[in-house]
Amino acid sequence: MNQKNFVHPRDQIVDIMKRIYGYGMTTTSGGNLSILDSDGNMWISPGSVDKGTLRREDIVCVKPDGTIEGRHKPSSESPFHRAIYKMRPDIKGILHAHPPALVSFSVAGKIPDTSVHAAAKKICGTVGYAPYEVPGSEALGRNVAAAFSAGHSTILLENHGACTAGSTLQEAFQRFETLDFCARLINRAIQLGTPHYLSDTEIEFSQLDRNIDFRPFDPEVRSSDEMELRYQMALLIRRAYKQMLFTSTEGTFAVRVDKERILITPRNVDRGNIQPEDMVLVKGMRYESGRKLSRAAWLFRAIFDAQPEINSLIIANPPHLMGYMVAHEEFDPRVIPESYILLREMPTFPFGTQFRELGKITGTLSPRYPIIMIQNDCMISSGRTLLEAFDRMEVAEYSAKATISARNLGGMKPINDEQIADLVKAFKLIP
């Protein structure tokens, strides 16, 4: 996520609170965020103020001497914020809230296993656990601080929720969002069967840098087509983020500009605030200097080279569809006519196939098989245009959500072979 060096702590807190409230990760009265600034001031969200309408003037400043500045009292949970900052000088931002998925784990006395997804373990680190105490009490502050003093930056609070911290509030949010993502994946997978987890060896192998053959260059000319594609990419990426199809750290677009050049989402840029100028231009095996090249650039390059009819690609982790990938259960896209028309069959590959047998990915993803899934990793959606690839991603996720719900009603009755044949004929689909 972008470092907000020029954004006041008040505005950072309001921005993150809007996100977690808008995502249903906290309630009107719940959740509290804080930032410790370079002068030792603790900026913190207020207590007893509607989180859905929080404004910058509502944020409270607690001075190093304990003096309080602001129109409200600080959050009742401020004791554990103070305790954490005192215990861990490296921490400058803290987030605490009660998202339903994480509360489900906290009331069950279990910690979400972040090895459910390769990137999550690196973001969250080891997850600690704080025993229950009365909210707002010094005793709770001691329990939470003790978990952080053990080296954790992500913890679950018994019968309470979650608390994350980081060198910035943005980093704390990344950990919070990612832990919640893992909790939702595990819950979806349990609805479908048994969750599968990755070994440390698999995670380490997946994180290797495979962009070593790319070299930076300085583009000389910006075409109108490139500028328009940058604009459209930024719009759709932010939309994907708002719909929780992406997280702030995960989710990548790529689109052809012409036969040689492609545009790719950058690495480590907040998907919720991404801008056209953030995109990275790639020409052959060279990328725009001064930009952070996506870790998946090598994969996009290989797919585009192998499939000239594909113009747009999206790598994403939609939570309901990921439930199938984590449970290693087959997803049947014969849900409604639209789903089959847009998705067709959706081949699934074992985790790591793109690293060990790249040809299986580049040879399968095609106009005939426009979406593929990789277990415990991602879905890859393709299309002739950005919007077509985006539409397929949406339809795949909504269809997966519908089929999971249908299990509670006795299971899905898929479109039959005769009906499929009618769709193929009526819409002139590739047989």
Side-chain angles (χ1 to χ4, degrees), residues 28 39 48 74 144 367 397 413:
T28 297
D39 296 320
S48 303
V144 173
E397 172 63 358
K413 179 184 176 183

Side-chain angles (χ1 to χ4, degrees), residues 187-303:
N187 278 329
R188 298 289 180 272
I190 289 172
Q191 289 178 272
L192 295 165
T194 302
H196 290 73
Y197 300 94
L198 301 172
S199 68
D200 288 343
T201 300
E202 288 176 312
I203 291 174
E204 289 171 9
F205 183 67
S206 72
Q207 299 299 302
L208 295 176
D209 183 5
R210 293 175 171 83
N211 287 333
I212 56 175
D213 293 329
F214 285 87
R215 296 290 182 269
F217 82 109
D218 294 315
E220 296 179 1
V221 178
R222 303 284 187 189
S223 69
S224 297
D225 287 345
E226 176 192 333
M227 302 309 290
E228 179 63 23
L229 286 170
R230 286 177 177 271
Y231 176 78
Q232 295 298 331
M233 284 178 73
L235 282 181
L236 288 174
I237 292 167
R238 294 196 298 266
R239 187 196 298 186
Y241 180 77
K242 288 179 181 178
Q243 294 178 212
M244 299 184 80
L245 299 169
F246 283 9
T247 64
S248 61
T249 57
E250 298 293 319
T252 306
F253 276 47
V255 62
R256 292 185 195 268
V257 179
D258 52 37
K259 291 183 179 179
E260 283 191 293
R261 299 177 301 162
I262 59 178
L263 283 169
I264 300 178
T265 311
R267 176 169 46 92
N268 295 339
V269 172
D270 175 14
R271 272 59 176 160
N273 288 319
I274 200 163
Q275 299 300 319
E277 59 269 24
D278 293 323
M279 307 307 165
V280 183
L281 184 67
V282 175
K283 184 177 182 181
M285 297 302 291
R286 296 181 296 162
Y287 70 96
E288 197 170 351
S289 60
R291 305 300 174 91
K292 296 179 179 179
L293 186 62
S294 165
R295 292 179 62 253
W298 64 276
L299 179 58
F300 286 128
R301 181 80 273 172
I303 294 171

Side-chain angles (χ1 to χ4, degrees), residues 320-337:
H320 292 86
L321 193 62
M322 283 295 296
Y324 280 92
M325 290 182 259
V326 169
H328 294 191
E329 292 287 333
E330 182 181 358
F331 171 65
D332 189 343
R334 297 176 300 165
V335 184
I336 59 175

Side-chain angles (χ1 to χ4, degrees), residues 36-101:
L36 188 68
D37 70 16
S38 57
D39 296 320
N41 301 310
M42 183 176 73
W43 301 85
I44 189 166
S45 53
S48 303
V49 172
D50 178 9
K51 302 304 187 294
T53 60
L54 196 68
R55 298 174 297 177
R56 69 185 317 270
E57 54 265 33
D58 294 322
I59 308 306
V60 182
C61 179
V62 182
K63 297 290 185 179
D65 64 1
T67 303
I68 297 173
E69 294 183 356
R71 60 170 66 178
H72 306 290
K73 294 181 179 179
S75 166
S76 61
E77 302 286 18
S78 60
F80 79 60
H81 288 252
R82 289 197 303 270
I84 293 169
Y85 288 129
K86 184 177 181 181
M87 188 75 68
R88 290 273 301 275
D90 60 307
I91 289 175
K92 304 299 179 184
I94 297 169
L95 190 160
H96 165 58
H98 322 113

